[in-house]
């Protein structure tokens, strides 16, 4: 594999890692939001 190919592959892997972290952050934010909504619902119906 050429140097150029290795560099391109490394750049693509870095980009994918960045995208993956963004997706994980969105999932955590959604879970936290659902937790807050549940707590508000539980308190409001108690």
């Amino acid at each position: 594999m050429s140097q150029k190919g290795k560099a391109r592959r490394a750049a693509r892997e870095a980009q994918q890692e960045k995208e993956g972290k963004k997706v994980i952050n969105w999932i955590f934010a959604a879970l936290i939001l659902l937790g807050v909504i549940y707590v508000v619902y539980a308190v409001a119906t108690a």
Side-chain angles (χ1 to χ4, degrees):
M1 184 180 282
S2 67
Q3 274 311 106
K4 198 175 188 181
K6 286 181 182 177
R8 192 178 297 142
R9 182 175 178 186
R12 188 168 63 241
E13 286 177 2
Q15 179 68 24
Q16 286 176 339
E17 186 177 346
K18 188 177 167 187
E19 290 289 320
K21 286 182 180 179
K22 189 165 41 169
V23 169
I24 289 170
N25 285 342
W26 273 104
I27 291 170
F28 273 120
L31 289 174
I32 291 169
L33 182 63
L34 285 173
V36 169
I37 291 170
Y38 175 73
V39 167
V40 169
Y41 171 77
V43 169
T45 57

